[in-house]
């Protein structure tokens, strides 16, 4: 929504040296800038989230909006050292708050003994230009030796930590209304479908789609202050921002699944998927929904009608991000203001994008979460997983989000598995520089974690468990599992409900992307008996993985982990089809081979099916980056390299522990957002 100009007489006013300029307003809130830095845009909701009583005589100080900062503390004295440390931490932790919001300062004291400002703290208040100081009972009112303009009042309570706009209630000047400040950030990589802010009146969320006059082609996402974490320390994910793939229902937000027809037919969700609600209950903050291939059916970036695919920030900007969760992958790779993003993985839709953008990504064991309120691809393979840049956030989200799952083995992991299954039928990679990173990873696993590489031919190990020992039949069984369900649960339902809502004459308005068109057509040809037969094959394969490949172990949960490459062998693959014809490039393999392939599919090209058909957990681990010659820029650019690690079903905690120890030993590092995943000197 391009917000209409805010025509009120209070659209611009000055508060001491802080000037607030309201640019636009809507029913859901207003956008403003501060004159000190008009490059930063902010948003406040229309509804205040906190009301504070001024004790004593009423005041007209805040008849118009004022900037404010709020803190809560149990420390005394309130000294320069304490205040500097507090607000230095604010700067380090938060990208919304800055010192321009210090003109009004709320301080709440959370202990029974009294607190006081020492002389250095009093000097700090004046030096920082604080004009209004609001303190709760228990803090002694500071007395100054020299006259000043500082207005000091006692208040009943203070807002949570962070940046606020405050205003006196018209009917009661002793009542201050506080509005939380959101930063507005560009979605210039088209990762999002919509932004989201909490619906403070009705619960759930409100859709945003902000654009600004100076940059009308880019959506701006409202992001809240991270400082709320200081007020919610008991919530393990407090202060972390996340976005969710647009196949998960969130109350108040539309679910489109990459389809205009689906969004028109079903509109906004009335309830939030339990998997997403759990993250919110753990303290994480939802900021929006990310793009997906239509109905989460894997497709190439050029195969779209309704919504363009998100743009991978790595390298020259034209590398593919692959698969249906690519919007979530791009959001985490492009934006430092995102902490983790949610995707779904049926046959590689988290793992492959994570490898292509250079991020940590997890497909959990099948069945770890209830997938109510999620558009299905195949309920016997669908999982809800996530992306992040930081190994510590990876461990925290994994351990907390799936904590209540009955699928995950709860026995303590006393040590990591010692066997690293290394597939010689896939390695070495086509790019020798990428293979060097794999070899280094193997060496460090042995040196620091005593995990020893065991060369195997994975094709020979798993082929006996295919129907008639045929990979083509195994591949077809997987396709039938998804095609049958995607037609009956999505396609057939959409056409029926669209006609019921809009009439049969409007059916021609349904325009689908090429891959859903193909999958729906093929899905209509899959019979119930075909589906049952494919499901039987899958169950046999899953049992074989448990009984013959990833064996149980009393101390390590699983006796081994399996590594492989889920990307393109260290070669670049592009979002523009013709670019993949350049020397050194290759078209990325999703669920079928590229058009014009002269050879049939090879097992090593589809190792991602092992976890999908086996119900196994799998993590993507970024290792480093290599150079490639860009056909777009004509320069040598950098692209990320990652490796996959798979283990026994239910042994997800092995993967959390592996990532934790790899980070602890410095074997893996947090990746950065932007063109390059690593600072080159430390890659």
């Amino acid at each position: 929504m391009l917000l209409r100009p805010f025509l009120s007489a209070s659209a611009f006013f000055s508060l001491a040296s802080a000037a607030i300029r309201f640019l636009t307003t809507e029913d859901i809130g207003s956008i403003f800038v501060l004159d000190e830095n008009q490059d930063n845009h902010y948003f406040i909701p229309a509804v205040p989230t906190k009301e504070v009583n001024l004790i004593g005589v009423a005041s007209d100080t805040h008849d118009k909006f004022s900037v404010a900062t709020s803190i809560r503390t149990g420390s005394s004295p309130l000294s320069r050292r304490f205040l500097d440390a507090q607000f230095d931490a604010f700067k380090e932790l938060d990208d919304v708050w800055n010192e321009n919001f210090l003109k009004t300062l709320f301080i709440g004291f959370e202990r029974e003994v009294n607190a006081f400002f020492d002389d250095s703290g009093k000097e700090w208040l004046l030096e920082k230009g604080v004009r209004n100081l609001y303190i709760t009972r228990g803090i002694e009112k500071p007395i100054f030796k020299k006259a000043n303009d500082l207005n000091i009042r006692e208040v009943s309570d203070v807002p949570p930590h962070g940046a606020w706009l405050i205003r006196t209630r018209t009917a009661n000047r002793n009542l201050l209304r506080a509005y939380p400040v959101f930063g507005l950030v560009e979605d210039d990589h088209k990762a999002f479908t919509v932004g989201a802010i909490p619906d403070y009146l009705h619960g759930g969320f409100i859709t945003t789609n902000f654009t600004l006059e100076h940059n009308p082609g880019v959506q701006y996402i409202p992001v809240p202050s991270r400082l709320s974490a200081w007020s919610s320390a008991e919530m393990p994910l407090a202060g972390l921002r996340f976005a969710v793939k647009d196949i998960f229902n969130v109350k108040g937000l539309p679910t489109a699944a990459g389809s205009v027809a689906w969004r028109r037919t079903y509109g906004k969700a009335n309830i939030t998927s339990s998997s997403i609600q759990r993250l919110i209950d753990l303290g994480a903050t939802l900021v929006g929904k990310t793009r997906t291939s239509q109905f989460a059916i894997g497709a190439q970036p050029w195969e779209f009608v309704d919504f363009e695919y998100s743009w991978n920030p790595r390298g020259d900007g034209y590398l593919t991000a692959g698969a249906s969760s690519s919007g979530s992958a791009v959001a985490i790779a492009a934006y430092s203001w995102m902490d983790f993003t949610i995707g779904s993985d049926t046959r590689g839709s988290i793992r492959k994008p994570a490898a292509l953008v250079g991020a940590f990504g997890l497909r959990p064991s099948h069945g770890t979460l209830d997938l109510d309120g999620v558009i299905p691809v195949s309920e016997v393979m669908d999982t809800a997983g996530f992306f992040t840049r930081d190994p510590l956030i990876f461990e925290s989200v994994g351990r907390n989000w799936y904590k209540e799952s009955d699928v995950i083995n709860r026995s303590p992991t006393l040590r990591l598995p010692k066997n690293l299954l290394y597939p010689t039928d896939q390695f070495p990679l086509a790019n020798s520089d990428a293979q060097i990173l794999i070899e280094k990873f193997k060496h460090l696993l042995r040196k620091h974690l005593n995990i020893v590489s065991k060369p195997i031919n994975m094709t020979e190990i798993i082929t006996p468990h295919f129907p008639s020992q045929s990979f083509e039949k195994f591949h077809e069984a997987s396709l039938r599992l998804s095609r049958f369900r995607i037609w009956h649960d999505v396609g057939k339902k959409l056409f029926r409900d669209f006609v019921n809502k809009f009439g049969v004459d409007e059916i021609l308005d349904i325009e689908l992307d090429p891959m859903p068109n193909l999958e729906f057509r093929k899905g209509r040809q899959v019979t119930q008996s075909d589906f049952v037969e494919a499901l039987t094959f899958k169950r046999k394969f899953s049992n074989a993985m448990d009984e013959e490949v990833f064996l149980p172990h009393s101390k390590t949960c699983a006796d081994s982990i399996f590594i492989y490459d889920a990307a393109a062998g260290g070669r670049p693959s592009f979002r523009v089809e013709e670019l993949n014809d350049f020397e050194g490039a290759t078209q990325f393999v999703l669920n079928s081979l590229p058009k014009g392939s002269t050879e049939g599919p090879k097992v090593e090209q589809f190792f991602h099916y092992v976890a999908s058909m086996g119900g196994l957990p799998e993590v993507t681990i970024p290792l480093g980056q290599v150079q490639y010659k860009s056909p777009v820029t004509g320069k040598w650019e950098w692209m990320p390299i990652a490796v996959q690690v798979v283990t026994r079903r239910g042994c997800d905690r092995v993967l959390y522990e592996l990532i934790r120890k790899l980070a602890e030993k410095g074997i893996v590092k947090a990746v950065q957002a932007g063109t390059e995943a690593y600072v080159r000197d430390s890659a």
Side-chain angles (χ1 to χ4, degrees):
M1 63 190 72
L2 181 59
L3 300 186
R4 64 177 180 267
F6 186 43
L7 300 178
S8 165
S10 63
F12 172 78
F13 55 88
S14 175
L15 173 68
S17 61
I20 302 172
R21 186 185 299 271
F22 281 97
L23 303 179
T24 54
T25 192
E26 256 291 349
D27 292 341
I28 64 172
S30 302
I31 291 175
F32 69 96
V33 295
L34 301 179
D35 262 12
E36 287 86 349
N37 186 352
Q38 295 190 33
D39 291 334
N40 292 339
H41 290 75
Y42 302 96
F43 171 82
I44 57 167
V47 178
T49 61
K50 181 72 175 179
E51 291 188 339
V52 174
N53 282 300
L54 288 170
I55 308 300
V57 180
S59 170
D60 62 358
T61 303
H62 303 292
D63 281 358
K64 296 180 180 180
F65 278 108
S66 306
V67 292
T69 294
S70 183
I71 65 172
R72 299 169 184 260
T73 183
S75 296
S76 183
L78 300 172
S79 63
R80 176 188 297 275
R81 181 177 180 180
F82 164 78
L83 293 167
D84 277 341
Q86 183 87 7
F87 291 107
D88 284 347
F90 272 32
K91 293 175 188 176
E92 181 70 23
L93 178 66
D94 197 32
D95 48 9
V96 176
W97 180 88
N98 60 64
E99 288 192 356
N100 292 322
F101 288 93
L102 276 175
K103 304 309 173 185
T104 294
L105 177 59
F106 291 90
I107 303 181
F109 193 63
E110 298 178 325
R111 293 175 61 188
E112 294 183 3
V113 297
N114 286 352
F116 66 95
F117 286 86
D118 68 9
D119 289 342
S120 68
K122 297 173 190 177
E123 292 172 358
W124 185 94
L125 292 172
L126 299 180
E127 290 172 7
K128 293 296 181 181
V130 177
R131 294 292 179 263
N132 302 287
L133 176 65
Y134 297 139
I135 54 179
T136 57
R137 187 182 302 275
I139 301 178
E140 296 177 7
K141 182 177 179 179
I143 299 174
F144 294 83
K145 296 177 182 179
K146 296 182 180 180
N148 58 70
D149 296 329
L150 180 58
N151 172 40
I152 306 173
R153 298 288 301 273
E154 183 182 331
V155 290
S156 59
D157 194 7
V158 300
H161 292 279
W164 298 80
L165 291 195
I166 57 172
R167 191 175 189 179
T168 307
R169 184 175 178 180
T170 305
N172 180 0
R173 283 181 167 171
N174 277 89
L175 190 65
L176 291 176
R177 288 179 162 177
Y179 300 76
V181 173
F182 292 71
L184 286 182
V185 289
E186 295 181 49
D187 177 27
D188 51 356
H189 290 273
K190 298 185 177 180
F192 285 80
T193 58
V194 295
I197 60 170
D199 186 337
Y200 298 106
L201 294 179
H202 307 103
F205 292 84
I206 296 172
T207 300
T208 72
N209 189 9
F210 298 141
T211 58
L212 300 175
E213 289 185 359
H214 75 278
N215 195 11
V218 174
Q219 180 178 197
Y220 283 74
I221 306 299
V223 296
S225 168
R226 298 182 190 277
L227 300 176
S228 61
W230 290 23
S231 302
S232 309
E234 73 283 358
M235 303 172 76
L237 302 185
L240 297 183
R241 302 176 186 141
F242 78 103
V244 58
K245 182 178 180 177
D246 191 23
I247 63 169
F248 290 78
N249 284 344
V250 176
K251 182 181 178 181
L253 302 183
T255 299
S259 166
V260 171
W262 188 277
R263 185 175 62 188
R264 284 184 63 197
T265 303
Y266 301 107
K268 297 178 180 178
N270 296 318
I271 193 169
T272 298
S273 167
S274 62
S275 57
I276 303 307
Q277 187 60 51
R278 174 160 176 78
L279 290 170
I280 295 169
D281 293 343
L282 288 167
T285 302
L286 179 69
V287 301
K289 301 186 83 173
T290 57
R291 298 191 184 202
T292 175
S293 62
Q294 200 168 71
F295 308 122
I297 296 172
Q300 297 290 355
W302 52 85
E303 297 175 318
F304 74 93
V305 173
D306 282 350
F307 296 99
E308 184 181 19
Y309 277 54
S310 303
W311 290 76
N312 186 347
R314 306 304 192 192
D316 57 14
Y318 279 80
L319 294 172
T320 182
S324 69
S325 296
S326 55
S328 291
V330 166
I332 207 65
Y335 305 135
S336 60
W337 42 269
M338 288 301 308
D339 297 307
F340 68 97
T341 54
I342 301 304
S344 66
D345 189 302
T346 304
R347 287 176 304 193
S349 293
I350 286 176
R351 296 163 285 164
K352 285 180 170 286
L356 291 166
V357 304
F360 296 90
L362 179 72
R363 172 200 165 91
S365 293
H366 182 260
T368 52
L369 289 174
D370 191 335
L371 296 184
D372 62 283
V374 184
I375 295 175
V377 175
S378 173
E379 79 284 2
V380 297
M381 293 186 286
D382 292 344
T383 60
F386 65 94
F387 303 86
T388 186
R389 294 181 305 277
D390 191 304
L392 299 182
I393 293 177
F394 175 90
E395 185 199 14
S396 180
V397 173
R399 289 192 187 278
N400 286 288
W401 195 20
Y402 307 114
K403 186 176 182 179
E404 305 301 323
S405 174
D406 293 331
V407 171
I408 295 177
N409 189 320
R410 298 179 186 275
S411 300
T413 301
L414 301 180
R415 57 180 173 81
L416 293 172
K418 289 187 176 182
N419 296 318
L420 178 71
L421 304 182
Y422 177 81
T424 56
D425 42 335
Q426 189 191 59
F427 293 120
L429 299 179
N431 183 326
S432 59
D433 289 338
Q435 182 62 30
I436 289 172
L437 293 174
I438 301 293
E439 295 299 327
K440 180 181 177 182
F441 181 65
K442 287 166 51 186
H443 169 73
L444 293 174
L445 284 178
R446 179 165 188 162
K447 178 180 178 181
H448 293 289
L449 301 179
N450 197 29
I451 299 175
V452 180
S453 176
K454 179 181 178 181
I456 61 164
N457 186 307
M458 194 62 164
T459 300
E460 292 180 357
I461 289 174
I462 62 178
T463 295
H465 307 296
F466 295 158
S468 303
Q469 298 191 23
S470 165
F471 176 70
E472 286 78 8
K473 290 184 178 180
F474 178 75
H475 185 243
E476 181 62 27
S478 175
L479 292 175
R480 286 178 176 178
L481 289 173
S482 63
R483 285 169 174 167
F484 182 82
R485 299 273 27 133
I486 200 73
W487 166 243
H488 286 280
D489 294 343
V490 178
K492 188 176 181 180
K493 168 183 167 63
L494 172 62
F495 284 103
R496 181 191 66 230
D497 293 347
F498 187 92
V499 168
N500 288 340
K501 186 171 185 177
F502 301 109
V504 69
D505 292 340
E506 302 296 317
I507 195 70
L508 294 178
D509 287 349
I510 295 183
E511 190 172 11
L512 300 177
D513 289 358
M515 282 304 295
N517 247 331
L518 174 66
E519 294 300 291
F520 288 165
R521 186 168 66 251
K522 289 184 176 292
R524 289 195 294 268
Q525 300 169 5
V526 179
T527 66
Q528 180 75 34
S529 61
D530 291 335
F531 176 78
V532 171
E533 182 182 41
L535 184 58
T536 300
F537 288 150
K538 180 189 181 301
R539 287 171 177 164
K540 289 180 178 179
F541 182 80
S542 181
N543 290 338
M545 294 301 99
D546 287 347
E547 295 169 4
E548 299 185 35
V549 181
F550 300 99
L551 302 180
H553 193 285
S554 60
K555 294 183 178 180
T556 62
C557 189
D559 74 329
S560 60
I561 55 178
F562 166 57
I563 69 167
Y564 75 97
D565 169 55
R571 295 171 293 178
S573 184
F574 296 97
R575 63 178 291 121
V576 177
E577 187 173 14
E578 292 75 16
L579 293 179
N580 292 310
D581 294 331
F582 279 80
E583 183 179 358
T586 185
Q587 185 169 313
F588 183 60
V589 174
L590 291 170
N591 296 316
S592 59
L593 294 177
K595 296 176 183 178
S597 298
T598 57
E599 298 181 356
K602 297 179 180 179
V603 176
E604 65 266 24
Q605 295 172 303
F606 293 87
F607 278 157
H608 55 291
Y609 276 34
V610 173
S612 297
M613 293 291 275
L616 312 177
E618 181 175 329
V619 63
T620 305
I621 305 176
L623 299 181
Q625 55 192 10
V626 297
Q627 285 187 293
Y628 70 98
K629 185 68 175 290
S630 168
V632 178
T633 66
K635 300 177 181 178
W636 287 95
E637 307 282 0
W638 292 87
M639 59 176 284
I641 298 297
V643 70
Q644 307 303 123
V645 176
V646 188
T647 195
R648 179 181 174 83
R649 183 171 185 260
C651 293
D652 302 50
R653 292 169 64 178
V654 169
L655 300 183
Y656 313 153
E657 184 67 8
L658 174 65
I659 296 299
R660 186 187 71 79
K661 288 190 174 181
L662 289 173
E664 187 179 86
K665 299 291 185 180
I667 300 172
V668 300
K669 301 175 182 178
V671 298
Q672 62 184 8
T675 303
E676 296 183 21
Y678 297 91
V679 177
R680 267 177 266 167
D681 290 342
S682 61

